[in-house]
Structures are given as C-alpha cells and as structure tokens.
Amino acid sequence: MSKSTMPPPGTAGESPGRSRNDATAEEPALGAAGAQLSTAPLEDGGIAALGLVGWARWCWRQLTSMRVALILLFLLSLASVPGSLMPQRGTAPAKVDQYKADHDILGPIAEKLQLFDVYGSVWFSAIYILLFISLIGCIVPRSWQFIGQLRSRPPGAPRNLTRLPAHTTWHTEAEPEQVLEAARRMLKARRYRTRAEAEAVACEKGYLREAGNLVFHVSLIVMLVAFATGQLWNSEGGKLVVEGDGFSNTLSQYDDLKSGALFDREKLPPFGFTLEGFDATYERTGPQKGTPRTFRARVTYWEGADGKPRSRTITVNHPLEVGGSKVYLLGHGYAPVVTVKDGQGTIAYQGPVAFLPQDSNVTSLGVIKVPNYRDAKGKKDQLGFQGVFVPTFGGVGSGSMFSQFPALDYPVMALTAYRGDLGLDSGLPQNVYQLDLKNMKQFTDAKGQKFRKMLRPGETMTLPGGAGSLSFDGVKEWATFQVSHRPGNGLALAGALAALMGLSASLFIQRRRIWVKATPGEDGTTVVEIAGLGRSEWSRLPEEVAAVALALRPDAPALPAAQDSTPASADPAQGARP
C-alpha cells in the first residue's frame, strides 16, 4: 500500500495552515537534500549593518544577477534604436550634415546626445561595458559552483521523506539490503547519478539544466564580443563595374569605403575580379511583367599577387567569398558607349558611361564630361552632356523619354549638350553622375533653340557651329558590387546557436533528486519509502517518483492490505499523487 502528499506552491514540504516561519524553521531537517539545486547565488541581507563594504557587496551582487543582466540587455537593444533612425557619421557623413542643415533645433540637440555616433557614444559604451561585467560576474562564480556540484555526490536522504513534495511508501517482505541494491541498479540503468548509504540510495539527474544556463550566459558574451569585433574591424565598400572592366581591392578602386575604427585600410587583402558579362532576363507577360527572372554577374576573380584566375557566377543571394571578404551583387544598369570628337576632329573621349536607373523599367539618367576638348579654332574648352537612356523606348510620337521594359529591346538616348567650365580644376570633390551647370552654357541651333537630340545606337549628334560630334556606338551593361569584410559574423552565429541550445536546456530539463529508503519495520517487514525533490514546482515530479516505485516493485513487492500497517491509499503503480 502507499500514501503520497504534495504541498501547495511554496517551500517544499510546507503544508496548509502552517506559517512561513514554521516551514523555515523545519528546513534544516532536510539537510543538504534541498541545497544547491541551482548555481544562483544566495541572497544576503543586513547590508545596513555592514556599512560601506556591505553596500559594495550588495551592489556587486545586484549587478551580477540575472535580473540586472536582462535589464541591461534590454537597454542595449533600446539604445540601438537611434542608430537605425538617425544617420550615422561613420557610415553616412553627408546625410548627417544634411540632417543638421535641415533641423536647426534638433540637429544640435542630437549632436550633444551623440545620436549621430550611437555605437561610439559614452552612454552606449557604458551599457555595453556594464553588460559585459554583469555577465562575467554572473558566470565565473556559477561556473566554479557548478564544477563543485559535478564533483560532489548526491546528498543523503532527509530524516523525514514525507516532507518532500512527492513521496510514496509501502511494506515488503524483501530484506532492506536487497531492496537498496535493486534500487541502485535500477537507478543507474535510468542514468541517475547514485550514492548508496546504510539505509537509503540517493540519486540525482538533470545537471544539463545548469550547464544550459551557463552556456546561455557565455553565448551572450560571445555575441557581444562578435558585435564589438564586427564594429571595430569591419569594412564595407561599393564599386560600379562596367562589363569588361575589373576591380582590384585597393583603396583607390572603391567608389566609397566605410570601415571600423581599428580596420587598417593600408593592409587590404590582395584580390580582384573582372566583370565578364551580365545576364538578366525578365517576365514579359502577365501581372508580373518586368520582374527579373535571371540576375547574375559572370566574373573572373583571383586572390593574391600570383593567384590563378577562376570563373564564378555571382547572384543576389550567393556572394563571392575571396580574401576573407564577401562580394555581393547589388544592382544593374546600362552604360551607353560613346565617342566624342572635338572641333579639330580629334577623339576627346571614348568609352562607356554608366547611367543610373530611376525606375523599375531602368529609365536612366547620366552625364558625360569631356575635360580635354578644343573647339574649331583650337581653343581649349570643356564639354558636358546631360542624358536620359531608356532600354525600351516608349515615347514614340510624344517626344518624352520613358522605358516600357527593362530589357534592351529598343535603346534610345536623349542628350543635351553644354560647354564651359566643368569645375574639375577647383580641387573640390565632384559627383561623377551630376553636371554642375553654374559655369556652363547650353548649345543652341541656328534658330536659337536649345540643342537636344535623341539617338539610336550607330547614330551621331553633330554639335552646332562645328564644335564637334558625339556618336552613340552601342550599350554595355554594368553591375554594382559591395565588398564586405565582417570578421565577427561566424562568431555571432556560433554564439546565437549556442544560446538557443543553452536556453532550451535550461527551460526543458529539470534538476531533481530522488531517494529510496528501506528500513526494518516494527512488524518485521521492510518499509520502503521513495521521495523526490525538484528545483522548482515541476508537475511531472510525482510521475517520476511513481515510475521509480513501479520499476522497483518486482524486487520489492508490496504486501497485501491486510498485512500492511500503513493506512490504505493509492497503489505505487498508480503514481505518487499530490
């Protein structure tokens, strides 16, 4: 026969009608059985009586607690929000200057609050460092305590097993030694860590819960280190490459380059690539007309000064990995090939000019700058052309320029010509895709009308007054690439996966202890008691105690009710019920 009890939520073994103080007074009766079921540090009171040292110890324990670590982690995520909403000086200095120019009041306030440099600000660094200290201070003592628990043996059985949350008992004719030996073998077979005593067998299970908790903490530190590494040693640069041209990983080759504070721009890894061709196909019918179906760049790349050239295709979601960096395909467009002759008939400019897309059908804008030009009298001058290029002309009969389709079906380019000072000799940086018209004058025809002309491939535009000509020779394609070096990505991924595994272990694995006691009864039989204790209120603890009792029953069969002096109750095979 058996009996079982389960107290309401609270202290293990505390029964209804008893005060908390009474339960606390009886806790020493459990001995070491209820101790060290977790690696959480014990709370320490009486800080006022300890003075400055007591306050310092209390502050340290608060800082290294899980509660404060989670609060700091939440604050860190909140502190990252302004970095996404406000332009950052390290990545977009021009946008920062524009924001300050557009916001006379908010601009200076944001500057004082370091909102334009969030990740390098004093307040973000303070949260970051405090989180580091909190996690490390939480992990180190818990780790030593956990190692000590792994090396120790399960604690001995309490004097009164009936005070534990789940227990069952019955009488048997088997000898106590026989019952204990059978219990030890059975618990070892169930992968419990066991300890045999004179009248009891103690066992323990669920150590991976605390291991998962520690792994989760360590993983957070790993992710923080990975984030710091990525911010300090990262680099990200963009490059537009026309079909047939190449790129070498040197500082002068980048259109723009952003990097972390500790990244050495003078030691870029040697590699490069050539854009051999670009393949793009589009949906031609239906509601998704114009949607890209094929979007890939065919490149030949090499690594090192004497690296062997290799062929590779880069697509949007499949970058090229070379030299510790990843080369991503970002965009695509067209580059009309032109030949400009000056007033002397000499070629002043020849080659492709990249035009930038403005819509999904690749209606593109661009400029052509010709600084080395001489007019019909041989006088030095400069030319500039503003143009619109459409891969599939859709303005037939209307005179307007727009593209009907992104593929190169019916290319047309419209140009407006200017002469004067391009501003290239001022020494100031200038956007290659914009034409400064401040010191330039538009060409006019014989009737005084502004000179503008549409061209098809193979056609030529002759400038008024014998000023020269421009020939539209053909069209090449271009692609934009992003060369990204982020050393902390692999570390961050490993930390995130480890954090998920550690969190899963700490949530779903339960730390528990079970004791099997066999003592001689007054009637000459053997009294078998089985009880369990978990770290927290675990609903399956009575089931596990019942399963152990059921597994032990063949070696310690219960006596019939008439021979059992224990008050009748549920059979152990039916489970230890609360």
Side-chain angles (χ1 to χ4, degrees):
M1 304 299 292
S2 65
K3 63 179 181 179
S4 58
T5 60
M6 174 73 78
T11 303
E14 185 178 346
S15 60
R18 296 160 67 189
S19 69
R20 173 68 180 169
N21 292 334
D22 294 338
T24 304
E26 291 180 358
E27 283 178 359
L30 294 177
Q36 296 183 346
L37 272 171
S38 74
T39 55
L42 298 176
E43 295 290 338
D44 188 14
I47 55 176
L50 296 178
L52 182 61
V53 175
W55 278 105
R57 183 182 294 112
W58 181 83
C59 291
W60 171 253
R61 290 187 175 178
Q62 295 302 311
L63 178 61
T64 57
S65 66
M66 171 67 80
R67 177 177 61 255
V68 173
L70 292 176
I71 292 174
L72 290 172
L73 191 61
F74 177 70
L75 289 178
L76 189 68
S77 63
L78 286 182
S80 303
V81 173
S84 302
L85 300 179
M86 303 289 290
Q88 298 298 291
R89 184 169 284 107
T91 57
K95 291 184 178 180
V96 172
D97 295 337
Q98 185 64 40
Y99 184 91
K100 293 171 68 176
D102 296 341
H103 301 80
D104 297 334
I105 298 177
L106 294 179
I109 295 176
E111 183 71 41
K112 290 182 180 180
L113 295 177
Q114 298 179 301
L115 296 182
F116 298 128
D117 188 20
V118 169
Y119 303 111
S121 63
V122 174
W123 48 271
F124 188 88
S125 300
I127 298 174
Y128 202 85
I129 293 172
L130 283 175
L131 182 57
F132 258 112
I133 296 174
S134 177
L135 290 174
I136 293 174
C138 184
I139 289 172
V140 172
R142 283 174 177 254
S143 299
W144 286 114
Q145 187 175 351
F146 181 62
I147 292 173
Q149 292 181 17
L150 288 177
R151 299 177 61 184
S152 64
R153 297 187 299 171
R159 187 167 57 249
N160 192 345
L161 292 181
T162 58
R163 293 182 178 178
L164 299 186
H167 70 275
T168 185
T169 181
W170 73 91
H171 287 225
T172 182
E173 291 184 347
E175 295 296 328
E177 295 80 5
Q178 179 183 351
V179 174
L180 295 178
E181 179 61 24
R184 187 186 63 80
R185 291 196 308 268
M186 178 267 297
L187 292 171
K188 275 193 172 183
R190 290 172 173 260
R191 297 184 179 178
Y192 285 88
R193 192 174 65 164
T194 61
R195 172 191 177 187
E197 297 179 323
E199 295 183 345
V201 174
C203 66
E204 196 166 10
K205 200 174 187 180
Y207 277 93
L208 286 181
R209 178 188 178 95
E210 294 303 320
N213 194 10
L214 294 175
V215 168
F216 176 75
H217 282 72
V218 173
S219 300
L220 291 180
I221 293 182
V222 171
M223 287 190 289
L224 290 175
V225 171
F227 176 77
T229 301
Q231 289 295 317
L232 295 175
W233 282 279
N234 76 316
S235 68
E236 189 175 275
K239 179 64 177 179
L240 185 150
V241 183
V242 179
E243 186 177 6
D245 292 342
F247 165 80
S248 295
N249 192 35
T250 57
L251 189 60
S252 60
Q253 286 279 299
Y254 283 97
D255 294 335
D256 61 89
L257 180 63
K258 300 171 289 187
S259 61
L262 299 181
F263 181 80
D264 190 353
R265 296 190 173 198
E266 304 300 326
K267 295 182 179 180
L268 296 174
F271 68 87
F273 60 89
T274 299
L275 179 61
E276 304 293 347
F278 194 91
D279 302 322
T281 59
Y282 306 89
E283 187 69 36
R284 292 201 169 263
T285 59
Q288 294 186 340
K289 181 180 178 180
T291 303
R293 295 306 181 195
T294 303
F295 204 72
R296 61 194 180 199
R298 292 177 282 108
V299 302
T300 299
Y301 73 97
W302 63 92
E303 183 175 4
D306 302 319
K308 181 180 178 181
R310 300 178 181 178
S311 298
R312 171 71 187 274
T313 298
I314 305 176
T315 59
V316 175
N317 295 319
H318 296 84
L320 168 67
E321 297 188 23
V322 57
S325 301
K326 291 185 177 181
V327 181
Y328 294 90
L329 174 62
L330 294 186
H332 160 258
Y334 297 103
V337 181
V338 299
T339 299
V340 180
K341 293 184 179 180
D342 61 14
Q344 305 293 314
T346 304
I347 295 178
Y349 179 86
Q350 188 175 39
V353 181
F355 277 48
L356 302 183
Q358 304 299 307
D359 56 28
S360 59
N361 286 327
V362 202
T363 301
S364 306
L365 302 179
V367 300
I368 303 171
K369 300 180 182 181
V370 187
N372 301 317
Y373 165 82
R374 291 180 183 272
D375 60 14
K377 298 180 180 181
K379 182 180 178 181
K380 289 185 177 181
D381 204 351
Q382 294 180 342
L383 294 181
F385 300 85
Q386 279 186 335
V388 180
F389 173 82
V390 292
T392 303
F393 182 57
V396 179
S398 65
S400 61
M401 290 287 291
F402 64 90
S403 178
Q404 295 186 107
F405 196 72
L408 207 62
D409 292 344
Y410 191 81
V412 175
M413 179 172 61
L415 293 175
T416 304
Y418 300 85
R419 68 188 305 170
D421 184 10
L422 293 171
L424 300 176
D425 300 327
S426 64
L428 298 175
Q430 192 176 101
N431 192 332
V432 297
Y433 303 106
Q434 292 181 354
L435 191 64
D436 186 1
L437 300 177
K438 181 173 58 177
N439 298 315
M440 302 200 76
K441 183 178 179 180
Q442 185 175 350
F443 280 91
T444 57
D445 58 18
K447 298 180 180 181
Q449 301 294 324
K450 294 181 178 180
F451 185 75
R452 184 173 184 267
K453 190 172 183 180
M454 292 185 182
L455 300 174
R456 289 271 294 143
E459 296 181 350
T460 299
M461 178 176 70
T462 302
L463 298 176
S469 64
L470 182 147
S471 300
F472 185 11
D473 301 329
V475 181
K476 287 188 175 183
E477 300 187 59
W478 57 258
T480 51
F481 299 91
Q482 177 181 289
V483 182
S484 179
H485 175 70
R486 296 186 178 275
N489 282 355
L491 191 63
L493 177 60
L497 293 176
L500 288 176
M501 291 188 292
L503 184 61
S504 299
S506 63
L507 290 177
F508 298 110
I509 297 177
Q510 294 295 328
R511 181 86 176 272
R512 66 272 194 194
R513 292 168 179 161
I514 292 179
W515 293 270
V516 178
K517 182 182 290 188
T519 56
E522 296 179 357
D523 57 355
T525 61
T526 299
V527 181
V528 181
E529 294 179 278
I530 301 179
L533 179 65
R535 175 180 171 181
S536 58
E537 293 292 339
W538 185 36
S539 60
R540 295 185 57 188
L541 181 61
E543 297 179 16
E544 187 154 357
V545 171
V548 171
L550 188 63
L552 185 61
R553 187 169 179 179
D555 295 289
L559 292 175
Q563 301 181 32
D564 194 344
S565 60
T566 305
S569 167
D571 190 272
Q574 299 176 4
R577 298 192 302 270

